[in-house]
Structure formats: C-alpha cells, structure tokens
Amino acid sequence: MRFKRGVAVAAIALTSVLSVVGCAKDSGTSNNASGGTGGTEGCKTVDKPPAAEGAASSSDAGAEVDASSLKVGLAFDIGGRGDASFNDSAAAGLDQAIEQMGVKKENTKELTATDQESESAKQSRLRQLAQEGRNPIVAVGFAYSAAAAEVAKQYPNIQFAVVDGFVEGAPKNVTFLGFAEHEGSFLVGVIAALKSESCTIGFVGGVNIPLIQKFQAGFEQGVKAVAPEAKIVSNYITEAGDLTGFTDAPKGEVLAKGLIDQGADVVYHAAGASGKGVFAAAKAADVMAIGVDSDQYNQKTVAEYKDVIISSMLKRVDVAVYNYIAAVASNDLASLPEVFDLKVDGVGYSTSGGKIDAETEEWVEAYKQQIIDGEITVSDTPSGS
C-alpha cells in the first residue's frame, strides 16, 4: 500500500493553524492603520503593516511514500511523551507516519531520557534501539548530539536523526533537524504586543542556552516591532548545564509569578514541561499565556489552563520527524530543508480557542509574509546578549 507524503504534511499543518475568530481578552488593541492604542489602555503601536498577499503554500501533492517496512526508534528527551510540548510534537510526527505512511506501530519503539543522566546513558539508549534493528532512529533534543554521532559510527547502515542537534564532523548517517524558532517566536511576540493591556510582557526560558535564547530573541523583536515602547521582563529557570529547567513546573510557576508581579499580563514560555507552572501562574493571576512547540491549548496535560492560553508558537517537530521518516523510506535525505523555517511551515503559531481575533491575525500574517520575503530578518540572539 502506498501513501501520499505531501498530503499528510499539509494535514498536520492545517490542524494547527486553523483560523478561529472569537472574542479574546483584548486590550482595545484592535489597532487601526494609523497606529496608536485603539483604546485607553494597551501598548502604543506602530502603523498596521500592509496586508499579506496570498502566498503559495509550501506543500503540494508530494511523492507517494510507503514506509511500512521501517522499524522506527524514537529516543525522547526528558519528559517524554506526554510533556505537552517538544516531545509530544515529535511523537505526533511518528503517529502521523503510522497513520499516513504505513509504519507499523508494533515495529516502533520509544525510550525516554531521565534527569541529569550521563552521556553513556544516552549512548546506551540509542545503542539499544540499534541492536533491536530500529532504522531510522530519531533522537529528540540537542543533548543527544554527541551520543548519536558516536553510536552512528558503530552502526553505519542505520540512519540517525537528532532534533535540534549538531556535531561538527558527524558521520554521514546522522541528520540534524534544525528550526528557525526565532521566526515563530517573532509572530507570537506580535500577538503579545497586541493583546497586552499593561504593555509589560514576560518571557520564561527553561535553560539559559543559545537554543532557548533564540525563542527569547525572536519574541522580543516581534513585541518591539509592534510596540517599540513595550517593557519586556524575562528570566530563566536554570543556567546552562542543568536541564531540570525543562521539567520543573513549580520553579516555572515561581518565575512566572515574579514576572507577573512586575506587571506582565502576557507571558510566553520556552520551558518544556516547566511551562505547566507558567500556565498555573497565569491562571492564578488572571493574565494571558503563550505556549510553545505544540498547540498547547489542545494538550490534555495542560487542559485545566486552556482558558489563559491565547496562542502557542508552533515548532513543527512533528513535520520534521514525519518528513525525515518519509525521506528515509524514499531514500532521499537530500530532499529535507536545511532548516525548518516559516517558508516550509517549520514554525508558526496557533489560533485554537478563538482568542486571536481577525484583525490580530491580519497583523501576524503581514509580518509573517515580510519575514518569508526577506523584508524582515529575525535575530537569533537577544538584544541584551
């Protein structure tokens, strides 16, 4: 049986970016073309950008791909399936491959990392999947980079992929799947600026490393593009080397509360499973939150907080994992993009829950097209760095 590769990718994208017009908690910033706040409260904004002209979709009918013979291994980062974020997005890509490309669920294997584990533990996990005959093996998270490069040398006939990873001089059977997180974060920064009433906006990062700084950088640039006078307050749960910042919801809640106490009424997190704490703080204070990676409004593990989630920055790990499996099945790894950016729907934003009104979406789409067209270059380094 054969399956349509491009059709499935389009289906993934459409479910996450479906536009829903509703009555959000709005600051009165249903801004008009002359700029201003549009009301007595909220951020003073620049002029509304010209409307985006209809851009051609990056997806097409695609090639037919049959992946039924593959035995896929998935090595999760800490938090695993059910983290409502990064890992769940990777899992969705595998689930879609099962549904659309014929991968047999019984031929897949999932393993999950533990907090503060050693490099040898990561290698052992990947080696276990290889010894069981899994091919390809997808490792979720930059922490697997060195381990994947090492284990791949021992299994040259098995294809490995690392989401977010990179190692100079890695074996040819290792593919690194990278994203333009800063571009997607710019878009939710636009949303935050338009929705804030206090014009103080918060960012909570999980671990203070360059990868997460990309989220902060794009978010800050998006806020400032719309509201140059906005105040942005930010903090990180842990410093580099301590990955518990991605799994410590109580600390995430404490940090988010601190930003809210400084006046933030919209808080964006890039903190993995710690984001649940950010949502908890937002709900307790009756302010707005922006999720990350997955469409967190629709994630069951954070459903109790969905009423404060106005959007999520979509890091399409699902698309990358799905496309990688398809490329392995068709023996065409060269077809993969160098980076999953806005041009290939590798990042984006969600509108689930009806909190993004039509005019806000017009602003976001206009900026999105400017980024795709190269009129705006989004920095991947925070302004204060």
Side-chain angles (χ1 to χ4, degrees):
M1 189 172 185
R2 300 178 70 80
F3 302 82
K4 285 283 189 180
R5 175 180 173 189
V7 170
V9 174
I12 299 174
L14 284 173
T15 57
S16 294
V17 298
L18 183 63
S19 297
V20 183
V21 178
C23 302
K25 175 184 177 184
D26 201 356
S27 60
T29 51
S30 54
N31 302 273
N32 52 44
S34 62
T37 64
T40 58
E41 295 181 318
C43 292
K44 181 179 180 180
T45 68
V46 299
D47 290 349
K48 184 177 179 181
E53 296 182 4
S57 171
S58 63
S59 23
D60 53 30
E64 292 185 342
V65 177
D66 179 4
S68 59
S69 64
L70 298 184
K71 297 181 178 180
V72 183
L74 193 58
F76 287 120
D77 204 347
I78 51 177
R81 185 186 280 264
D83 72 341
S85 185
F86 188 69
N87 290 296
D88 267 357
S89 187
L94 175 57
D95 292 345
Q96 195 73 12
I98 291 171
E99 294 175 8
Q100 301 292 334
M101 283 192 288
V103 174
K104 295 181 174 62
K105 185 175 179 60
E106 61 269 23
N107 286 340
T108 66
K109 182 70 170 285
E110 299 176 3
L111 299 174
T112 303
T114 58
D115 286 350
Q116 303 298 316
E117 69 179 13
S118 65
E119 183 67 17
S120 62
K122 293 180 177 64
Q123 290 188 22
S124 295
R125 184 173 303 111
L126 298 179
R127 195 173 292 112
Q128 176 186 338
L129 292 170
Q131 290 171 347
E132 292 177 357
R134 310 296 168 183
N135 187 15
I137 295 170
V138 180
V140 185
F142 66 90
Y144 280 106
S145 296
E150 182 61 32
V151 175
K153 296 176 186 177
Q154 303 164 19
Y155 298 92
N157 295 322
I158 292 178
Q159 292 294 332
F160 292 79
V162 184
V163 177
D164 281 343
F166 183 75
V167 172
E168 193 73 42
K172 293 183 179 179
N173 57 326
V174 179
T175 300
F176 296 109
L177 305 173
F179 299 81
E181 298 93 346
H182 48 308
E183 291 185 356
S185 295
F186 183 106
L187 301 184
V188 295
V190 171
I191 292 171
L194 293 173
K195 292 298 181 182
S196 177
E197 295 179 355
S198 68
C199 210
T200 298
I201 295 162
F203 171 81
V204 175
V207 182
N208 193 2
I209 53 177
L211 173 62
I212 305 305
Q213 290 168 7
K214 288 172 68 178
F215 291 83
Q216 179 187 359
F219 182 65
E220 290 178 345
Q221 190 174 342
V223 171
K224 292 292 189 177
V226 173
E229 298 177 10
K231 179 181 179 181
I232 302 172
V233 291
S234 60
N235 213 333
Y236 284 85
I237 299 172
T238 59
E239 292 301 313
D242 182 358
L243 298 183
T244 62
F246 294 126
T247 58
D248 197 333
K251 285 187 179 178
E253 184 172 2
V254 170
L255 259 66
K257 184 179 185 302
L259 301 183
I260 293 167
D261 288 345
Q262 294 178 58
D265 64 351
V266 184
V267 182
Y268 170 46
H269 87 86
S274 298
K276 186 173 184 178
V278 175
F279 295 148
K283 184 167 185 175
D286 192 26
V287 301
M288 294 170 281
I290 296 174
V292 76
D293 296 334
S294 302
D295 184 352
Q296 296 200 291
Y297 180 89
N298 289 321
Q299 290 289 340
K300 293 180 180 179
T301 54
V302 291
E304 62 188 298
Y305 308 116
K306 66 191 303 181
D307 56 324
V308 301
I309 301 173
I310 60 172
S311 182
S312 296
M313 194 289 282
L314 302 176
K315 180 174 176 176
R316 304 308 305 277
V317 179
D318 54 342
V319 170
V321 170
Y322 181 93
N323 278 10
Y324 174 71
I325 293 171
V328 172
S330 57
N331 194 29
D332 187 18
L333 290 174
S335 66
L336 294 170
E338 291 186 10
V339 61
F340 287 86
D341 58 12
L342 284 176
K343 291 180 181 178
V344 297
D345 293 325
V347 291
Y349 67 103
S350 66
T351 60
S352 298
K355 297 179 175 64
I356 304 300
D357 56 88
E359 187 167 359
T360 297
E361 191 168 1
E362 289 173 4
W363 278 73
V364 179
E365 288 297 317
Y367 280 112
K368 175 181 176 180
Q369 194 59 47
Q370 288 182 31
I371 295 170
I372 291 174
D373 292 342
E375 297 174 17
I376 293 177
T377 299
V378 184
S379 173
D380 60 4
T381 305
S383 57
S385 298

PDB file of all heavy atoms in Angstrom, residues 4-29:
ATOM      1  N   LYS A   4       0.431   9.151   0.373  1.00  0.00           N
ATOM      2  CA  LYS A   4       0.814  10.475  -0.100  1.00  0.00           C
ATOM      3  C   LYS A   4       1.603  11.198   0.984  1.00  0.00           C
ATOM      4  O   LYS A   4       1.093  11.477   2.058  1.00  0.00           O
ATOM      5  CB  LYS A   4      -0.437  11.302  -0.437  1.00  0.00           C
ATOM      6  CG  LYS A   4      -1.087  10.875  -1.744  1.00  0.00           C
ATOM      7  CD  LYS A   4      -0.316  11.403  -2.927  1.00  0.00           C
ATOM      8  CE  LYS A   4      -1.095  11.161  -4.216  1.00  0.00           C
ATOM      9  NZ  LYS A   4      -0.369  11.670  -5.384  1.00  0.00           N
ATOM     10  N   ARG A   5       2.852  11.519   0.670  1.00  0.00           N
ATOM     11  CA  ARG A   5       3.686  12.221   1.632  1.00  0.00           C
ATOM     12  C   ARG A   5       3.208  13.652   1.863  1.00  0.00           C
ATOM     13  O   ARG A   5       2.977  14.082   2.980  1.00  0.00           O
ATOM     14  CB  ARG A   5       5.136  12.227   1.145  1.00  0.00           C
ATOM     15  CG  ARG A   5       6.080  13.048   2.012  1.00  0.00           C
ATOM     16  CD  ARG A   5       7.476  12.990   1.436  1.00  0.00           C
ATOM     17  NE  ARG A   5       8.365  13.882   2.138  1.00  0.00           N
ATOM     18  CZ  ARG A   5       9.584  14.152   1.734  1.00  0.00           C
ATOM     19  NH1 ARG A   5      10.063  13.588   0.645  1.00  0.00           N
ATOM     20  NH2 ARG A   5      10.355  14.980   2.405  1.00  0.00           N
ATOM     21  N   GLY A   6       3.084  14.437   0.777  1.00  0.00           N
ATOM     22  CA  GLY A   6       2.758  15.850   0.915  1.00  0.00           C
ATOM     23  C   GLY A   6       1.388  16.087   1.506  1.00  0.00           C
ATOM     24  O   GLY A   6       1.183  17.022   2.260  1.00  0.00           O
ATOM     25  N   VAL A   7       0.419  15.246   1.158  1.00  0.00           N
ATOM     26  CA  VAL A   7      -0.936  15.414   1.670  1.00  0.00           C
ATOM     27  C   VAL A   7      -0.945  15.306   3.180  1.00  0.00           C
ATOM     28  O   VAL A   7      -1.600  16.071   3.882  1.00  0.00           O
ATOM     29  CB  VAL A   7      -1.872  14.368   1.040  1.00  0.00           C
ATOM     30  CG1 VAL A   7      -3.217  14.366   1.734  1.00  0.00           C
ATOM     31  CG2 VAL A   7      -2.059  14.664  -0.443  1.00  0.00           C
ATOM     32  N   ALA A   8      -0.199  14.362   3.713  1.00  0.00           N
ATOM     33  CA  ALA A   8      -0.172  14.181   5.162  1.00  0.00           C
ATOM     34  C   ALA A   8       0.471  15.365   5.852  1.00  0.00           C
ATOM     35  O   ALA A   8       0.011  15.818   6.894  1.00  0.00           O
ATOM     36  CB  ALA A   8       0.587  12.901   5.512  1.00  0.00           C
ATOM     37  N   VAL A   9       1.546  15.902   5.276  1.00  0.00           N
ATOM     38  CA  VAL A   9       2.191  17.053   5.871  1.00  0.00           C
ATOM     39  C   VAL A   9       1.236  18.232   5.900  1.00  0.00           C
ATOM     40  O   VAL A   9       1.135  18.957   6.884  1.00  0.00           O
ATOM     41  CB  VAL A   9       3.478  17.419   5.088  1.00  0.00           C
ATOM     42  CG1 VAL A   9       4.067  18.709   5.619  1.00  0.00           C
ATOM     43  CG2 VAL A   9       4.485  16.295   5.179  1.00  0.00           C
ATOM     44  N   ALA A  10       0.514  18.413   4.811  1.00  0.00           N
ATOM     45  CA  ALA A  10      -0.453  19.505   4.760  1.00  0.00           C
ATOM     46  C   ALA A  10      -1.519  19.329   5.823  1.00  0.00           C
ATOM     47  O   ALA A  10      -1.953  20.286   6.451  1.00  0.00           O
ATOM     48  CB  ALA A  10      -1.105  19.570   3.369  1.00  0.00           C
ATOM     49  N   ALA A  11      -1.927  18.081   6.054  1.00  0.00           N
ATOM     50  CA  ALA A  11      -2.960  17.828   7.060  1.00  0.00           C
ATOM     51  C   ALA A  11      -2.469  18.193   8.435  1.00  0.00           C
ATOM     52  O   ALA A  11      -3.199  18.758   9.254  1.00  0.00           O
ATOM     53  CB  ALA A  11      -3.363  16.352   7.028  1.00  0.00           C
ATOM     54  N   ILE A  12      -1.197  17.878   8.728  1.00  0.00           N
ATOM     55  CA  ILE A  12      -0.647  18.242  10.033  1.00  0.00           C
ATOM     56  C   ILE A  12      -0.692  19.752  10.200  1.00  0.00           C
ATOM     57  O   ILE A  12      -1.114  20.276  11.222  1.00  0.00           O
ATOM     58  CB  ILE A  12       0.820  17.775  10.157  1.00  0.00           C
ATOM     59  CG1 ILE A  12       0.904  16.254  10.034  1.00  0.00           C
ATOM     60  CG2 ILE A  12       1.420  18.207  11.476  1.00  0.00           C
ATOM     61  CD1 ILE A  12       2.331  15.737   9.999  1.00  0.00           C
ATOM     62  N   ALA A  13      -0.223  20.458   9.168  1.00  0.00           N
ATOM     63  CA  ALA A  13      -0.145  21.906   9.269  1.00  0.00           C
ATOM     64  C   ALA A  13      -1.516  22.533   9.441  1.00  0.00           C
ATOM     65  O   ALA A  13      -1.708  23.425  10.263  1.00  0.00           O
ATOM     66  CB  ALA A  13       0.540  22.479   8.027  1.00  0.00           C
ATOM     67  N   LEU A  14      -2.476  22.056   8.674  1.00  0.00           N
ATOM     68  CA  LEU A  14      -3.798  22.667   8.708  1.00  0.00           C
ATOM     69  C   LEU A  14      -4.465  22.530  10.062  1.00  0.00           C
ATOM     70  O   LEU A  14      -5.147  23.432  10.523  1.00  0.00           O
ATOM     71  CB  LEU A  14      -4.682  22.032   7.626  1.00  0.00           C
ATOM     72  CG  LEU A  14      -4.384  22.495   6.190  1.00  0.00           C
ATOM     73  CD1 LEU A  14      -5.189  21.675   5.196  1.00  0.00           C
ATOM     74  CD2 LEU A  14      -4.679  23.969   6.032  1.00  0.00           C
ATOM     75  N   THR A  15      -4.262  21.401  10.739  1.00  0.00           N
ATOM     76  CA  THR A  15      -4.922  21.216  12.027  1.00  0.00           C
ATOM     77  C   THR A  15      -4.392  22.172  13.059  1.00  0.00           C
ATOM     78  O   THR A  15      -5.085  22.499  14.021  1.00  0.00           O
ATOM     79  CB  THR A  15      -4.728  19.781  12.538  1.00  0.00           C
ATOM     80  OG1 THR A  15      -3.328  19.498  12.622  1.00  0.00           O
ATOM     81  CG2 THR A  15      -5.395  18.786  11.625  1.00  0.00           C
ATOM     82  N   SER A  16      -3.159  22.665  12.895  1.00  0.00           N
ATOM     83  CA  SER A  16      -2.559  23.514  13.907  1.00  0.00           C
ATOM     84  C   SER A  16      -2.742  24.999  13.641  1.00  0.00           C
ATOM     85  O   SER A  16      -2.605  25.798  14.540  1.00  0.00           O
ATOM     86  CB  SER A  16      -1.062  23.196  14.041  1.00  0.00           C
ATOM     87  OG  SER A  16      -0.882  21.904  14.531  1.00  0.00           O
ATOM     88  N   VAL A  17      -2.989  25.379  12.392  1.00  0.00           N
ATOM     89  CA  VAL A  17      -3.083  26.800  12.099  1.00  0.00           C
ATOM     90  C   VAL A  17      -4.482  27.205  11.635  1.00  0.00           C
ATOM     91  O   VAL A  17      -4.673  28.268  11.069  1.00  0.00           O
ATOM     92  CB  VAL A  17      -2.034  27.218  11.043  1.00  0.00           C
ATOM     93  CG1 VAL A  17      -0.639  26.975  11.554  1.00  0.00           C
ATOM     94  CG2 VAL A  17      -2.246  26.488   9.734  1.00  0.00           C
ATOM     95  N   LEU A  18      -5.442  26.381  11.906  1.00  0.00           N
ATOM     96  CA  LEU A  18      -6.805  26.697  11.538  1.00  0.00           C
ATOM     97  C   LEU A  18      -7.249  27.986  12.219  1.00  0.00           C
ATOM     98  O   LEU A  18      -7.127  28.135  13.424  1.00  0.00           O
ATOM     99  CB  LEU A  18      -7.725  25.546  11.964  1.00  0.00           C
ATOM    100  CG  LEU A  18      -9.192  25.679  11.590  1.00  0.00           C
ATOM    101  CD1 LEU A  18      -9.362  25.695  10.078  1.00  0.00           C
ATOM    102  CD2 LEU A  18      -9.984  24.542  12.203  1.00  0.00           C
ATOM    103  N   SER A  19      -7.743  28.904  11.446  1.00  0.00           N
ATOM    104  CA  SER A  19      -8.120  30.202  11.996  1.00  0.00           C
ATOM    105  C   SER A  19      -9.482  30.122  12.653  1.00  0.00           C
ATOM    106  O   SER A  19     -10.444  29.649  12.066  1.00  0.00           O
ATOM    107  CB  SER A  19      -8.171  31.249  10.874  1.00  0.00           C
ATOM    108  OG  SER A  19      -6.904  31.418  10.311  1.00  0.00           O
ATOM    109  N   VAL A  20      -9.553  30.638  13.890  1.00  0.00           N
ATOM    110  CA  VAL A  20     -10.817  30.694  14.597  1.00  0.00           C
ATOM    111  C   VAL A  20     -10.994  32.114  15.100  1.00  0.00           C
ATOM    112  O   VAL A  20     -10.170  32.609  15.848  1.00  0.00           O
ATOM    113  CB  VAL A  20     -10.846  29.725  15.798  1.00  0.00           C
ATOM    114  CG1 VAL A  20     -12.205  29.752  16.468  1.00  0.00           C
ATOM    115  CG2 VAL A  20     -10.525  28.312  15.332  1.00  0.00           C
ATOM    116  N   VAL A  21     -12.043  32.771  14.677  1.00  0.00           N
ATOM    117  CA  VAL A  21     -12.280  34.148  15.094  1.00  0.00           C
ATOM    118  C   VAL A  21     -13.178  34.145  16.314  1.00  0.00           C
ATOM    119  O   VAL A  21     -14.199  33.497  16.352  1.00  0.00           O
ATOM    120  CB  VAL A  21     -12.954  34.942  13.957  1.00  0.00           C
ATOM    121  CG1 VAL A  21     -13.255  36.360  14.412  1.00  0.00           C
ATOM    122  CG2 VAL A  21     -12.065  34.951  12.723  1.00  0.00           C
ATOM    123  N   GLY A  22     -12.758  34.880  17.352  1.00  0.00           N
ATOM    124  CA  GLY A  22     -13.570  34.891  18.556  1.00  0.00           C
ATOM    125  C   GLY A  22     -13.333  36.142  19.348  1.00  0.00           C
ATOM    126  O   GLY A  22     -12.646  37.056  18.933  1.00  0.00           O
ATOM    127  N   CYS A  23     -13.914  36.156  20.558  1.00  0.00           N
ATOM    128  CA  CYS A  23     -13.829  37.315  21.430  1.00  0.00           C
ATOM    129  C   CYS A  23     -12.771  37.080  22.480  1.00  0.00           C
ATOM    130  O   CYS A  23     -13.047  36.502  23.523  1.00  0.00           O
ATOM    131  CB  CYS A  23     -15.178  37.576  22.109  1.00  0.00           C
ATOM    132  SG  CYS A  23     -16.504  37.832  20.909  1.00  0.00           S
ATOM    133  N   ALA A  24     -11.553  37.500  22.203  1.00  0.00           N
ATOM    134  CA  ALA A  24     -10.464  37.316  23.151  1.00  0.00           C
ATOM    135  C   ALA A  24     -10.498  38.411  24.188  1.00  0.00           C
ATOM    136  O   ALA A  24     -11.149  39.436  24.030  1.00  0.00           O
ATOM    137  CB  ALA A  24      -9.135  37.369  22.404  1.00  0.00           C
ATOM    138  N   LYS A  25      -9.733  38.173  25.258  1.00  0.00           N
ATOM    139  CA  LYS A  25      -9.482  39.253  26.192  1.00  0.00           C
ATOM    140  C   LYS A  25      -8.624  40.240  25.441  1.00  0.00           C
ATOM    141  O   LYS A  25      -7.460  39.988  25.185  1.00  0.00           O
ATOM    142  CB  LYS A  25      -8.747  38.735  27.428  1.00  0.00           C
ATOM    143  CG  LYS A  25      -8.352  39.839  28.395  1.00  0.00           C
ATOM    144  CD  LYS A  25      -7.534  39.285  29.553  1.00  0.00           C
ATOM    145  CE  LYS A  25      -7.098  40.413  30.472  1.00  0.00           C
ATOM    146  NZ  LYS A  25      -6.226  39.958  31.545  1.00  0.00           N
ATOM    147  N   ASP A  26      -9.169  41.358  25.038  1.00  0.00           N
ATOM    148  CA  ASP A  26      -8.468  42.268  24.155  1.00  0.00           C
ATOM    149  C   ASP A  26      -8.195  43.570  24.872  1.00  0.00           C
ATOM    150  O   ASP A  26      -8.998  44.052  25.647  1.00  0.00           O
ATOM    151  CB  ASP A  26      -9.346  42.525  22.914  1.00  0.00           C
ATOM    152  CG  ASP A  26      -8.523  43.034  21.744  1.00  0.00           C
ATOM    153  OD1 ASP A  26      -7.320  43.251  21.931  1.00  0.00           O
ATOM    154  OD2 ASP A  26      -9.118  43.203  20.668  1.00  0.00           O
ATOM    155  N   SER A  27      -7.039  44.129  24.582  1.00  0.00           N
ATOM    156  CA  SER A  27      -6.625  45.352  25.244  1.00  0.00           C
ATOM    157  C   SER A  27      -7.229  46.592  24.598  1.00  0.00           C
ATOM    158  O   SER A  27      -6.903  47.696  24.981  1.00  0.00           O
ATOM    159  CB  SER A  27      -5.097  45.463  25.174  1.00  0.00           C
ATOM    160  OG  SER A  27      -4.702  45.495  23.822  1.00  0.00           O
ATOM    161  N   GLY A  28      -8.081  46.374  23.623  1.00  0.00           N
ATOM    162  CA  GLY A  28      -8.508  47.506  22.828  1.00  0.00           C
ATOM    163  C   GLY A  28      -7.532  47.739  21.694  1.00  0.00           C
ATOM    164  O   GLY A  28      -7.633  48.707  20.979  1.00  0.00           O
ATOM    165  N   THR A  29      -6.558  46.834  21.561  1.00  0.00           N
ATOM    166  CA  THR A  29      -5.558  46.976  20.520  1.00  0.00           C
ATOM    167  C   THR A  29      -6.005  46.274  19.253  1.00  0.00           C
ATOM    168  O   THR A  29      -5.249  45.593  18.606  1.00  0.00           O
ATOM    169  CB  THR A  29      -4.204  46.410  20.977  1.00  0.00           C
ATOM    170  OG1 THR A  29      -4.420  45.091  21.469  1.00  0.00           O
ATOM    171  CG2 THR A  29      -3.580  47.263  22.037  1.00  0.00           C
TER     172      THR A  29
END
